[in-house]
Amino acid sequence: MQIAVMSDSTSYMPDELVDRYNIHIVPLSVVFGDASYREGLDITTETFYQKVKETKDLPKTSQPSIGMITEKLEKLAVNYDAVISVHLSGGISGTHQSVISAGEMVDGIDVYAYDSGLSCMAQGFYAIEAAKLAESGKNPEAIIQRLDKMKQSMRAYFMVDDLSHLQRGGRLNGAQAMVGSLLQVKPVLHFVDKQIVPFEKIRTRKKALNRIMGMLESDAVQGGKLKVAFIHANNEAAAISLKEQFDAAYPNMDTMISYFGPVIGTHLGEGAVGVCWYKE
């Protein structure tokens, strides 16, 4: 059985891994005024953050059309019997549901749409694992079972410098609890039931990052190998610093640097930092 793996552009996986495992990508877009840009195709992450600085009105985001997804699936159906399609949380985007709808329209290929329940490199970890298993000959049901197992240990926490981006885009649930104190806190955020919610209110950026690193280290000392991604929104130095700090204390862990690209960067704002990990 020939199984393809697909994801969307918000997984922000390194190009070399996308190429190595032949992962197919459907792009989401950012919209500045009347101009729409598919992330990773029409606009780079660097250009996006520069454009945000130069533009008075913040961009909007849009999911891939069902037509685009259908076209992608029809091409995959030529060479594949099934596709595992891993996407950002259905709680913040309709992409996952669009893949389900498109799959019902395409003959000749079984579509297994998988809701990661979160986004960015945590989502990418699922796609890469699915591709490895597909390459080793596992069937779709076994792959989905493994992704569900990964979900049990997957952790993702992040902090933003300005909550107004998430509020304005309607992506932050529970923001009303912080009204009146938005300027004084740097809340640690995470996903619960596919929604972004505050995990803990913390007064300073440094303390927020220390809290996230403390949770990572708490899992690291329990034994077993962790796969970890340090993620940044146009602030690579911060991610590198966290990675170096963790690598020095836990040299046997598998760590990497990732980023918040245009679509997720629109909602988090420049300067956001996150860490995600799971037990291998």
Side-chain angles (χ1 to χ4, degrees):
M1 189 177 192
Q2 295 298 309
I3 301 172
V5 172
M6 187 167 81
S7 191
D8 59 69
S9 57
T10 69
S11 54
Y12 305 130
M13 293 174 282
D15 289 342
E16 60 267 24
L17 292 180
V18 172
D19 294 340
R20 161 69 182 83
Y21 293 108
N22 194 27
I23 299 171
H24 304 269
I25 304 293
V26 289
L28 277 76
S29 300
V30 287
V31 183
F32 288 88
D34 296 327
S36 180
Y37 303 87
R38 296 167 298 170
E39 66 175 351
L41 295 175
D42 305 322
I43 190 168
T44 65
T45 297
E46 294 74 21
T47 301
F48 164 76
Y49 283 111
Q50 186 59 40
K51 197 170 180 65
V52 168
K53 290 177 183 176
E54 298 167 354
T55 305
K56 184 176 293 186
D57 295 325
L58 288 170
K60 297 178 180 178
T61 61
S62 65
Q63 65 194 53
S65 68
I66 289 181
M68 179 197 295
I69 298 168
T70 301
E71 183 179 341
K72 189 80 171 177
L73 293 175
E74 287 172 342
K75 289 179 180 177
L76 291 176
V78 175
N79 297 309
Y80 295 95
D81 305 301
V83 55
I84 308 290
S85 200
V86 181
H87 298 286
L88 77 166
S89 172
I92 62 171
S93 171
T95 303
H96 173 257
Q97 186 56 51
S98 292
V99 172
I100 293 173
S101 298
E104 293 170 350
M105 300 177 187
V106 178
D107 294 326
I109 189 168
D110 294 325
V111 179
Y112 295 79
Y114 192 80
D115 189 336
S116 71
L118 27 71
S119 187
C120 302
M121 194 57 218
Q123 171 191 341
F125 281 146
Y126 289 119
I128 292 165
E129 183 72 6
K132 288 179 178 178
L133 294 172
E135 192 177 73
S136 71
K138 298 292 185 184
N139 64 35
E141 290 76 17
I143 295 173
I144 296 296
Q145 188 175 27
R146 167 58 185 152
L147 300 188
D148 285 342
K149 178 72 173 175
M150 283 175 63
K151 225 170 221 185
Q152 295 175 19
S153 67
M154 185 70 73
R155 303 285 181 266
Y157 298 92
F158 54 101
M159 55 124 335
V160 300
D161 278 337
D162 183 356
L163 279 169
S164 66
H165 299 276
L166 281 164
Q167 276 195 306
R168 187 207 52 161
R171 262 67 177 190
L172 180 58
N173 221 8
Q176 66 275 9
M178 297 181 187
V179 171
S181 63
L182 292 181
L183 298 178
Q184 287 78 41
V185 298
K186 298 292 183 187
V188 172
L189 305 168
H190 66 154
F191 280 88
V192 174
D193 296 330
K194 304 179 185 179
Q195 301 283 347
I196 298 171
V197 299
F199 173 74
E200 201 170 282
K201 296 181 192 178
I202 297 177
R203 288 290 172 185
T204 68
R205 178 185 178 90
K206 182 178 180 181
K207 287 181 179 178
L209 292 176
N210 285 343
R211 180 71 173 103
I212 294 172
M213 292 300 289
M215 289 186 284
L216 168 60
E217 290 168 4
S218 178
D219 279 0
V221 298
Q222 292 179 18
K225 190 170 185 179
L226 299 181
K227 222 167 174 54
V228 189
F230 299 91
I231 312 170
H232 67 94
N234 206 31
N235 188 6
E236 188 177 32
I240 290 173
S241 175
L242 293 176
K243 181 180 183 299
E244 290 177 346
Q245 170 189 328
F246 183 72
D247 287 346
Y250 304 93
N252 295 323
M253 301 298 176
D254 188 351
T255 64
M256 65 181 292
I257 299 290
S258 188
Y259 62 97
F260 295 118
V263 168
I264 301 301
T266 293
H267 300 295
L268 299 187
E270 188 172 8
V273 176
V275 186
C276 67
W277 67 91
Y278 73 96
K279 182 173 284 191
E280 287 192 272

